[in-house]
Amino acid sequence: MSKINSRIPEGPIADKWTNHKNNMKLVAPNNRPKIDVIVVGTGLAGGAAAASLGEMGYNVKAFCFQDSPRRAHSIAAQGGINAAKNYQNDGDSVYRLFYDTIKGGDYRAREANVHRLAEVSGNIIDQCVAQGVPFAREYGGLLDNRSFGGTQVQRTFYAAGQTGQQLLLGAYSALSRQVGLGRVKMYHRHEMMDLVVVDSKARGIIARNLVTGEIERHSAHAVIIASGGYGNVYFLSTNAMGSNVSAAWKVHKRGALFANPCFVQIHPTCIPVHGTNQSKLTLMSESLRNSGRIWVPKKKEDAEAIRSGNLKPTQIPEEERDYFLERRYPAFGNLVPRDVASRAAKERCDAGFGIEANDTNEGVYLDFASEIKSKGRQAAFAKGEHSPSEERILELGKKWIEEKYGNLFQMYQKITDENPYETPMKIYPAVHYTMGGVWVDYNLQSTIEGCFVAGEANFSDHGANRLGASALMQGLADGYFVLPYTVSDYLANEIRTGKISTDSPEFDAAENDVKESINRFLNNKGTKSVDYFHKRLGLIMWNKVGMGRNEKGLNEAIEKIRSLKEEFYKDVFVPGSADELNPELEKALRVADFLELGQLMAVDALQRNESCGGHFREEYQDSEGETLRDDENFKYAAAWEYAGGEATEAKLHKEELKYEFIKIAARNYK
């Protein structure tokens, strides 16, 4: 019997979620204090879920490995959050957001989940405004919107270039209130080490106090994993250095299926790699593509002169610039989806037109000169200056840009020592977001009863590519508007269970497994650092399982990771002890999981003989370099069952994706 049961409600798609909520079981307010819920991760999804469940009256234990929930990686999201409010009266609707998300994901997402996401999007904005999130506003006081990739409407709400930070502060304030009321107990500087399953149900976790090294047992009637994505498997990514896959991977190893691991998003607007000693990459918000134009020189000799320092981009006349996204995709231009924009930039650089003087000559320009002049003229006209000088136009245009994107421009200048008001930004695609994750059903429950997974840690809402400004939307939708219903439905059968004891063989076994893993690393007599192996894994992943994939490279990746994993366990050196703050031990445990995951990503990419979204198999492209899907054979979510540390032994389960309310078609942004 298949382990896949998506539990999608029957009926018209616009009614599924409402009817489903109306028929869910409830837990009476007087019974909620008798029930414990563990939330792992306190970013937008986890923080919102913990705050909501605490507000409802459940006993919540929330865990984060940072010193504060405010340091969750959600804080790094810059550009905005989508919602189908149609404030601009430009044709947006719940259906349009639903359609754009399905199409943007290259028809590899589950219809019902995506429609629910679009349905609750408006509620998210209302919730956040009520919390005091300082969204940008228009002249009249209404909330402002801008466009993001993959859309032709303005639906992205934003707070300058720090939307994620402001949204997280809103969730954190709600969480802090529940902590103050005693309904949520926060465990800072704690990392989940394993999931405890008793009689096929998630009943708690083993956690490590990262300051003292103490191994702790925590029980609950349900466990929510909201620990983010796994982009750091590539070592260099836009993710925070601490971001990892371990919580989700431990759940997978205990029996939860892991879906679509090869679906990784490459973001087109990152600051290019500068050197081999870099530890992470910096994202420049996708919102900048509203105002910036992406280009490379039309002549290779100009690109070579720029790389050698003999020519400046401002010296290249307009007619000698190739605005390649506008040329290839006139309908969407610079606002094509992220995977499309990324591949187009790679194609130009592979052809020799890259402008960055790094090892690979990879980089393109994001130029704001046209927008500065356009907005400067508008601003001057609004002030009654109908014949402004060029200097006045530039002055007012730069002021407009500063109001919209000032902190992003400042960040770019501090990193690169170049003024983006005067010279174009240099950008190049980099690993950003992971659409794959723990497989969940419509209720966001994994294949382990009582183990729910939210936000980027699950696979459910984005398909093979995520639209810009949808990550924050999914995290808050899951935490505020989905899990409070679905977790309560599950917990309605737990009110007679009583307190879950941590004194059981299952807790004993899980704790012993954790201690054995720790001791194995600390007692290893290796000679190489954890980062030495992590960097090598990252190179394999980027070169073989990155923006371009092919059968030969994927087979090589599987073998290379197998060899690297053996070498890692033989020759890694972890200093220090288990009973202290030991960042190298933390990294070793996480990289061990990355090695297993990386191999599974290659296996997943190898079996998917098509190109879709961020998964670009070079064998499957049309004459213009666009993706060639195979809907007849691969219109499914690939959900893998763990079968030991060798990914080639993993068992594949397929969830067929049925499109009843959207006509499946080739993506066209031209």
Side-chain angles (χ1 to χ4, degrees), residues 547-587:
M547 290 178 68
R549 304 161 178 184
N550 56 59
E551 183 178 3
K552 179 175 180 290
L554 292 169
N555 278 311
E556 288 175 356
I558 292 168
E559 292 305 315
K560 286 185 175 183
I561 295 172
R562 179 182 290 121
S563 299
L564 182 64
K565 188 163 49 175
E566 291 176 5
E567 187 181 343
F568 171 74
Y569 282 107
K570 288 178 183 176
D571 202 25
V572 71
F573 171 65
V574 179
S577 65
D579 56 354
E580 63 178 352
L581 179 65
N582 192 337
E584 285 299 301
L585 175 59
E586 296 170 34
K587 286 196 291 185

Side-chain angles (χ1 to χ4, degrees), residues 255-269:
L257 303 184
F258 204 95
N260 299 336
C262 77
F263 286 171
V264 175
Q265 181 162 87
I266 313 293
H267 199 295
T269 56

Side-chain angles (χ1 to χ4, degrees), residues 9-22 82-85 92-99 101 110-126 155 442 461 473-474 477-478 481-482 661:
E10 298 293 330
I13 198 158
D15 300 331
K16 287 181 186 292
W17 178 233
T18 299
N19 292 340
H20 191 53
K21 287 190 294 183
N22 290 342
N82 288 330
K85 287 284 198 180
D92 200 13
S93 64
V94 167
Y95 182 86
R96 180 72 64 180
L97 176 53
F98 163 56
Y99 173 82
T101 304
R110 186 191 286 155
E111 258 193 349
N113 287 63
V114 175
H115 196 278
R116 176 174 64 189
L117 180 64
E119 280 182 71
V120 305
S121 64
N123 295 342
I124 297 170
I125 303 303
D126 298 339
R155 66 161 67 101
Y442 188 71
D461 289 6
M473 178 173 62
Q474 187 207 347
D478 288 355
F481 299 110
V482 179
F661 303 94

